[in-house]
Amino acid sequence: MVLETAKLMVRFGGLVAVNGVDMTLRQGEVRGLIGPNGSGKTTFINLVTGIYQPTGGKVHLLGEDITAMSPDKITSRGLMRTFQLPRVFGNMTLLENMLVPRFADIDRDYRRQLPGAIEKADGLLAAVDLRRLRDEQAKTLSGGQKALLQLARGLMPEHVAAFMLDEPFAGVNMVIKETMMRLISEKAAEGVAFLLVSHEMTSIRTMCPTVTVLAEGSIIAEGTMDAIASMDHVIEAYLVG
């Protein structure tokens, strides 16, 4: 397995936000994670990527225990993420934004690796139709273009094992969504595992053979989108949520 969580949980005071979640991601898998608002989806991503420290449970990436690691160390091992509101370096160019994750480790041989890194950045920017803007500052982009940049930038490290996408399609138009879906599919075919959190059920149905449903911090169903959509307890969770 590329990514595995075992009995993962976190408590904030008296609230158990994520409650004993067991989940696995295989190489090249695109799994959907859905659930009503407040079900713990983003909190789960924050736990796996080191933003929050879990109250209990474990996270393993490529067999290594990353539970207690800081976000930067987790990222260096090949686990990437996006945020619901795209986070870019506004006063840096698109190319500079792309190079940040590649050279975040100051021990890298910057001069030797720079030409190859620029070539990769150009290829990814072209894949999301932003190559023509590579020398523009990121703050000039529209919201949808920032979402594209955030996705492309997360694929810049030399080895990306898994990528967690938090509402990547929120607020973007159909053209941008289709561009993102195409890049996700291409990288999944190359072996990157994706966890796709989205309220866009049509996109989840299209992209994700397996969907996990979270409610009140716990997994309540897993299966195809068609299968879980007909489950009474899933429908009830959304109505209550």
Side-chain angles (χ1 to χ4, degrees):
M1 292 297 172
V2 173
L3 183 70
E4 184 173 9
T5 70
K7 307 299 181 186
L8 194 63
M9 69 173 295
V10 67
R11 183 189 301 272
F12 300 115
L15 172 67
V16 180
V18 171
N19 189 13
V21 171
D22 297 322
M23 186 184 294
T24 58
L25 278 179
R26 302 183 306 274
Q27 186 177 26
E29 179 179 6
V30 182
R31 177 182 289 257
L33 179 61
I34 67 173
N37 290 330
S39 60
K41 303 183 296 297
T42 297
T43 302
F44 175 74
I45 290 179
N46 287 339
L47 285 172
V48 173
T49 57
I51 302 297
Y52 297 153
Q53 287 298 305
T55 305
K58 295 289 185 181
V59 182
H60 286 86
L61 179 68
L62 298 174
E64 181 181 10
D65 187 351
I66 63 170
T67 311
M69 289 186 184
S70 61
D72 61 307
K73 291 189 180 299
I74 291 173
T75 298
S76 72
R77 283 160 171 77
L79 177 56
M80 311 301 291
R81 69 162 298 174
T82 63
F83 294 86
Q84 291 186 34
L85 296 177
R87 298 185 182 183
V88 300
F89 300 104
N91 291 323
M92 297 172 66
T93 67
L94 273 64
L95 178 59
E96 289 167 341
N97 266 270
M98 295 292 286
L99 295 177
V100 167
R102 184 64 177 263
F103 294 110
D105 183 349
I106 61 175
D107 292 330
R108 290 190 181 278
D109 186 344
Y110 178 80
R111 292 184 181 276
R112 181 176 62 83
Q113 295 191 20
L114 183 58
I118 292 176
E119 182 179 1
K120 183 172 184 178
D122 281 341
L124 286 167
L125 288 172
V128 294
D129 196 28
L130 293 177
R131 172 66 178 77
R132 58 195 164 81
L133 301 174
R134 79 167 200 165
D135 296 319
E136 301 294 327
Q137 290 187 322
K139 64 184 178 184
T140 66
L141 300 179
S142 68
Q145 289 173 325
K146 289 177 180 176
L148 289 172
L149 175 60
Q150 181 180 228
L151 174 62
R153 185 180 61 188
L155 294 165
M156 272 299 293
E158 291 181 273
H159 173 67
V160 179
F163 204 158
M164 312 190 85
L165 308 178
D166 196 357
E167 297 290 354
F169 309 128
V172 303
N173 63 40
M174 182 60 69
V175 173
I176 287 177
K177 182 167 74 169
E178 289 177 351
T179 299
M180 297 174 80
M181 292 170 67
R182 182 172 60 249
L183 183 57
I184 292 166
S185 295
E186 289 174 358
K187 294 305 174 181
E190 295 174 8
V192 179
F194 288 88
L195 182 69
L196 179 54
V197 174
S198 180
H199 283 95
E200 290 266 354
M201 296 304 175
T202 301
S203 303
I204 292 288
R205 188 187 301 273
T206 301
M207 297 288 295
C208 306
T210 302
V211 179
T212 299
V213 186
L214 206 61
E216 297 182 344
S218 299
I219 293 177
I220 62 169
E222 285 186 327
T224 66
M225 190 67 201
D226 289 337
I228 64 175
S230 63
M231 295 179 182
D232 290 341
H233 64 290
V234 172
I235 297 171
E236 181 181 354
Y238 271 89
L239 292 174
V240 172

